[in-house]
Amino acid sequence: MDVKELTQPQIKQRIDELRKLLQKASYAYYVLDQPTMEDTIYDKLYRELQDLETQHPTLVTPDSPTQRVGEKPATQFNSVRHNVPLYSLENAFNVEELNSWDNRWKRQLTSLNQDEKIDYVCELKIDGNALALTYQNGVLIRGVTRGDGVTGEDITQNVRTIRSIPLRLNIDAFSEGIPERIEVRGETFLPLDVFTQINEERQKNGETLFANPRNATAGTLRQLDSRIVDKRRLDFFCYTLHIPGRDDASIASSQQEALDLLQKMGFKVNPNQRLCSSINEVGEYYQYWDTERLNLPYMTDGVVVKLNSFKLQEQLGFTQKFPRWAIALKYAAEEAPTRVENISVNVGRTGALTPLAEMHPVQLAGTTVSRATLHNSDRIIQLDIRIGDTVIVRKAGEIIPEVVRVLKELRPDGTQPFIMPTHCPVCGQPVVREKEQAVTRCVNSSCPAILKGAIEHWVSRDAMDIRGMGEKLVHQLVDRGVVASVADLYSLTAAQLCGLERMGQKSADKIVNAIAQSQKQPWSRVLYGLGIRHVGSVNAQLLASKFTSVTQISDASRANIEGIYGIGAEIADSIYQWFRIPSNQELIQKLADAELQLTVDLAELAATSQQTTSSALTGKIFVITGTLPSLKRDEAKALIQKAGGKVTDSVSKKTDYLVVGEDAGSKLTKAESLGVAILSEAELLAILDISAKEMET
């Protein structure tokens, strides 16, 4: 479409059409989980809208799909008063306490007709963070954290990045016109697969891991840069609707009707809700999800039970703290006692000292747990944990082992408080703790622990992908003084390697060849391999596309680096400081002498881009399960991504293919029930048009 030939009214009409198409596609994808548009088509329409709005800025509106992510970070979050208070819920922890609540509200409601039918709505209690959303004439104008229930923080800029929260409501949901103001309550959360990916990225970057999805969600919502929030891919389930000034039942007379209306308005409502006709049925629902919740792709810590009728809710009202007509029926987290046999301190590749509780092995949530991170010295002081203590350990978020508390009444005589070392346990140099940070670091760049971590990162699959360079070999090379930096790998000979334990001539030759092959890895991988704090593989690709050589990025100012979409102030400062350290400048020169790729090959970049765009797998979603005959999972993932496909960790309606190996497990069962196409490794390679001969190569 030639924009130059369009009149102003026609341009506005086209913009409106594009917004409706994109909003409809987003609703189908993020809310209904039923994509109606290929990613490439969506991207094309999005770019057309973006171009039109750039050329005609007066036509840009807050509810446009292009306005989800803010360009500038917020300077602070303001505290605001909720239009409608967010009450806490009374807790119950078993069916007996549920029955007590049921009897109590019935006694309080003396006017209740014994023949009146009572329904209960049960909803899963999502383990996330509550949000209060305000819509004015159907357009999102405010998003606020729960706070203390009366006031919260205005984080509207971050809320707008959550794709399952509509920027504009579907007016067709209202037969008599959309109300002027609508208040919506719900829970924002991180899906488990996204949480795992975030922690994997943080671990690679030497950053402290999030303890559980709830904490990660809270930390994400309080990011000042909405571009970071957008990359974290938060999700949202709504559960409450308030329409000020509308007390009649013309819009919704019950919780069930309100949930149905919310979904019609464009919100994502948890599909596992249930309308129960008796309190016994509520108990059955609670018991069913006690085990089934482990199969969900998100965390839930209980069930919320509400009286369905808004009329009954109004009659019962509230106590000082809780609504009388609702209760949270919580599940007990799986915990187990064990004994702390030692507290060790690990030194990561960024120099961070992480204390670890080494415990007598205990079974927890289906796995054997023998170690748990204690995070930092502040956490140790808070717990007052000592060697010999009996502690309660649990899976935080059912994923990461954590020490919950110390049973001090069982503490043996003679134990001493644990104190973090003042010197690095590996190199013996003094450690430092930066102001306003909880992490203690070794700052000796020659520390063997830092060097080992740096080399392990450099040779990893996502970086230089040097096959055969495992942890044991890296440790031998460092301990024997054979290598003192990653650049030294490129002067290694087979003879040097043959002198190491369990290293024959054939293996040594393969490793030397793999090191030589890594010299061809693109600039983005080299940049990631340098191990700069906060620079993961995705950020490395962003940076390499902007700064096409090491000279450009090393000469760039903080402002130039931060000007890249997705790169915040903290990341920019880390990059800027890294290239100003003399030893890092020497390393870059050594890598240049070793003929590493320190510039972008523009011809190769263009060819790769064209190949990916034209691939039949572009936009297709894959899940890999089980042990494949010849490919490792990372290798299969890399091949799929190179062909334009996407690889996720969990099977859903959006999954196009499940690649299956031996011991496939529950993912195969779920894929079969959803009608997802099943592929063997051979069938995957056939789709990718890769022959067995190429695989051997």
Side-chain angles (χ1 to χ4, degrees):
M1 179 179 294
D2 190 350
V3 178
K4 295 180 181 179
E5 298 178 359
L6 296 179
T7 64
Q8 189 76 2
Q10 288 174 324
I11 291 172
K12 185 179 184 306
Q13 182 181 357
R14 179 56 179 167
I15 287 176
D16 290 340
E17 290 173 352
L18 289 169
R19 287 174 183 164
K20 288 178 181 177
L21 284 170
L22 294 172
Q23 287 165 355
K24 187 175 181 181
S26 292
Y27 176 72
Y29 187 91
Y30 292 104
V31 177
L32 300 181
D33 200 16
Q34 297 173 355
T36 58
M37 184 183 292
E38 292 289 337
D39 289 352
T40 52
I41 302 298
Y42 183 96
D43 292 342
K44 184 178 179 181
L45 295 175
Y46 185 91
R47 284 194 297 271
E48 182 185 347
L49 175 61
Q50 205 169 35
D51 290 342
L52 287 172
E53 291 182 342
T54 300
Q55 296 167 25
H56 304 275
T58 58
L59 298 180
V60 177
T61 59
D63 60 315
S64 174
T66 64
Q67 302 304 300
R68 277 198 176 273
V69 184
E71 292 297 323
K72 296 181 179 179
T75 56
Q76 64 178 6
F77 296 129
N78 295 320
S79 180
V80 296
R81 192 174 184 86
H82 288 296
N83 296 318
V84 179
L86 276 75
Y87 284 86
S88 299
L89 291 175
E90 181 183 357
N91 288 329
F93 292 92
N94 51 54
V95 174
E96 289 72 23
E97 292 181 3
L98 171 70
N99 289 328
S100 296
W101 165 79
D102 190 59
N103 292 328
R104 186 166 63 251
W105 77 256
K106 287 178 178 176
R107 288 196 303 269
Q108 291 167 341
L109 198 62
T110 55
S111 60
L112 179 65
N113 187 331
Q114 295 299 318
D115 297 327
E116 186 173 350
K117 187 176 184 298
I118 304 298
D119 290 329
Y120 305 82
V121 171
C122 294
E123 303 166 59
L124 295 180
K125 188 176 183 298
I126 309 302
D127 196 10
N129 295 86
L131 289 179
L133 310 176
T134 303
Y135 287 81
Q136 187 76 26
N137 296 319
V139 177
L140 177 66
I141 62 169
R142 197 175 81 163
V144 183
T145 62
R146 183 187 182 280
D148 61 6
V150 177
T151 60
E153 289 184 314
D154 187 337
I155 57 167
T156 306
Q157 184 167 298
N158 289 344
V159 168
R160 294 174 63 85
T161 69
I162 304 173
R163 308 292 165 150
S164 46
I165 293 179
L167 299 180
R168 174 179 285 276
L169 302 179
N170 177 18
I171 61 174
D172 294 336
F174 300 91
S175 58
E176 299 181 6
I178 194 164
E180 181 180 358
R181 183 177 288 265
I182 294 176
E183 302 285 332
V184 174
R185 303 288 182 265
E187 199 85 0
T188 188
F189 63 95
L190 270 175
L192 292 176
D193 59 342
V194 178
F195 171 72
T196 301
Q197 291 169 12
I198 291 172
N199 261 352
E200 287 175 352
E201 189 75 16
R202 292 177 72 86
Q203 187 171 37
K204 288 178 182 178
N205 295 336
E207 298 173 315
T208 303
L209 301 186
F210 286 120
N212 52 55
R214 182 183 63 257
N215 289 359
T217 300
T220 299
L221 288 173
R222 298 202 78 258
Q223 288 284 338
L224 292 174
D225 191 342
S226 64
R227 294 170 294 185
I228 296 175
V229 183
D230 184 48
K231 290 198 300 184
R232 295 271 178 90
R233 292 156 50 199
L234 293 171
D235 209 339
F236 181 79
F237 283 129
C238 63
Y239 51 69
T240 300
L241 171 65
H242 296 285
I243 303 178
R246 297 293 294 267
D247 298 328
D248 60 327
S250 62
I251 293 181
S253 62
S254 67
Q255 174 67 7
Q256 187 67 59
E257 288 181 10
L259 292 175
D260 293 341
L261 178 59
L262 283 164
Q263 190 160 16
K264 291 176 183 176
M265 289 160 58
F267 287 100
K268 192 171 185 177
V269 174
N270 192 287
N272 298 306
Q273 51 159 308
R274 180 175 168 185
L275 184 64
C276 297
S277 59
S278 69
I279 200 67
N280 290 335
E281 202 173 326
V282 171
E284 291 170 2
Y285 176 92
Y286 168 71
Q287 291 170 342
Y288 172 81
W289 284 108
D290 190 11
T291 54
E292 280 301 309
R293 64 195 173 98
L294 301 177
N295 298 320
L296 292 169
Y298 47 81
M299 291 298 305
T300 178
D301 59 355
V303 170
V304 175
V305 184
K306 302 174 185 175
L307 295 182
N308 187 37
S309 168
F310 283 171
K311 180 182 177 182
L312 288 180
Q313 290 185 15
E314 185 180 357
Q315 291 176 9
L316 284 167
F318 298 81
T319 67
Q320 189 174 354
K321 294 182 179 180
F322 312 120
R324 293 189 177 93
W325 41 266
I327 195 167
L329 190 52
K330 304 286 287 289
Y331 294 117
E334 186 175 350
E335 300 178 344
T338 187
R339 185 180 67 258
V340 178
E341 297 178 339
N342 189 32
I343 297 176
S344 59
V345 178
N346 181 58
V347 183
R349 67 177 177 84
T350 65
L353 272 63
T354 304
L356 298 169
E358 299 179 4
M359 306 169 296
H360 183 75
V362 61
Q363 282 290 316
L364 198 62
T367 60
T368 301
V369 174
S370 59
R371 286 162 45 117
T373 178
L374 297 173
H375 301 292
N376 50 56
S377 57
D378 289 350
R379 181 60 174 160
I380 288 178
I381 293 171
Q382 181 184 37
L383 287 169
D384 185 22
I385 188 170
R386 306 180 184 186
I387 297 171
D389 275 343
T390 298
V391 297
I392 300 298
V393 63
R394 72 179 176 197
K395 283 283 193 75
E398 296 171 2
I399 297 175
I400 301 173
E402 72 169 354
V403 175
V404 180
R405 61 187 179 278
V406 175
L407 301 180
K408 295 180 181 177
E409 63 273 19
L410 300 179
R411 173 173 289 167
D413 294 335
T415 62
Q416 297 295 320
F418 181 83
I419 300 174
M420 286 288 286
T422 57
H423 290 69
C424 175
V426 177
C427 70
Q429 293 298 307
V431 296
V432 299
R433 177 173 173 175
E434 296 177 14
K435 188 178 180 181
E436 297 181 357
Q437 288 198 10
V439 179
T440 303
R441 295 185 188 277
C442 171
V443 293
N444 173 23
S445 60
S446 300
C447 175
I450 296 176
L451 179 57
K452 290 173 184 176
I455 296 175
E456 288 171 15
H457 176 71
W458 178 265
V459 304
S460 65
R461 294 191 186 280
D462 290 340
M464 305 309 289
D465 193 20
I466 302 177
R467 309 290 176 90
M469 289 287 291
E471 179 183 318
K472 291 182 179 179
L473 177 57
V474 170
H475 284 214
Q476 286 190 72
L477 291 170
V478 174
D479 291 340
R480 298 192 182 196
V482 180
V483 296
S485 77
V486 297
D488 292 341
L489 296 174
Y490 296 91
S491 59
L492 277 177
T493 64
Q496 286 176 302
L497 291 171
C498 283
L500 302 176
E501 296 176 9
R502 298 183 181 180
M503 182 60 63
Q505 185 66 47
K506 187 175 181 180
S507 297
D509 289 338
K510 283 186 176 181
I511 289 172
V512 171
N513 182 60
I515 292 172
Q517 289 295 317
S518 75
Q519 291 172 296
K520 301 176 183 178
Q521 293 287 10
W523 160 227
S524 62
R525 282 185 172 239
V526 175
L527 180 56
Y528 171 62
L530 293 175
I532 303 171
R533 284 183 67 195
H534 310 306
V535 178
S537 57
V538 174
N539 284 337
Q541 292 175 32
L542 284 172
L543 291 161
S545 66
K546 174 66 175 179
F547 303 109
T548 56
S549 71
V550 69
T551 302
Q552 285 187 9
I553 193 170
S554 62
D555 291 343
S557 66
R558 286 186 181 89
N560 286 340
I561 300 171
E562 191 178 346
I564 300 175
Y565 178 83
I567 303 297
E570 187 177 11
I571 301 173
D573 186 65
S574 177
I575 296 165
Y576 179 83
Q577 294 291 353
W578 192 92
F579 281 101
R580 266 125 204 96
I581 297 174
S583 60
N584 292 336
Q585 295 170 359
E586 292 174 13
L587 173 61
I588 293 297
Q589 185 57 54
K590 289 180 180 179
L591 293 176
D593 295 340
E595 300 182 354
L596 272 292
Q597 303 298 315
L598 301 178
T599 60
V600 171
D601 186 335
L602 298 177
E604 180 183 350
L605 183 65
T608 302
S609 176
Q610 184 177 5
Q611 178 184 7
T612 300
T613 303
S614 61
S615 171
L617 296 188
T618 300
K620 298 295 183 182
I621 298 176
F622 289 74
V623 174
I624 305 170
T625 186
T627 305
L628 301 179
S630 58
L631 288 172
K632 292 185 178 179
R633 190 168 296 192
D634 286 345
E635 293 172 331
K637 180 178 180 179
L639 289 172
I640 292 168
Q641 290 175 333
K642 186 177 180 181
K646 300 178 181 179
V647 181
T648 62
D649 293 327
S650 58
V651 176
S652 71
K653 293 177 182 178
K654 292 186 287 188
T655 306
D656 294 296
Y657 298 103
L658 178 70
V659 182
V660 176
E662 293 183 9
D663 302 322
S666 61
K667 289 183 181 178
L668 176 58
T669 304
K670 185 171 183 179
E672 290 172 339
S673 68
L674 294 174
V676 174
I678 310 298
L679 297 178
S680 64
E681 181 188 283
E683 290 169 328
L684 171 66
L685 295 176
I687 291 177
L688 296 169
D689 196 24
I690 298 176
S691 65
K693 185 176 180 180
E694 288 175 306
M695 286 299 300
E696 292 175 3
T697 304

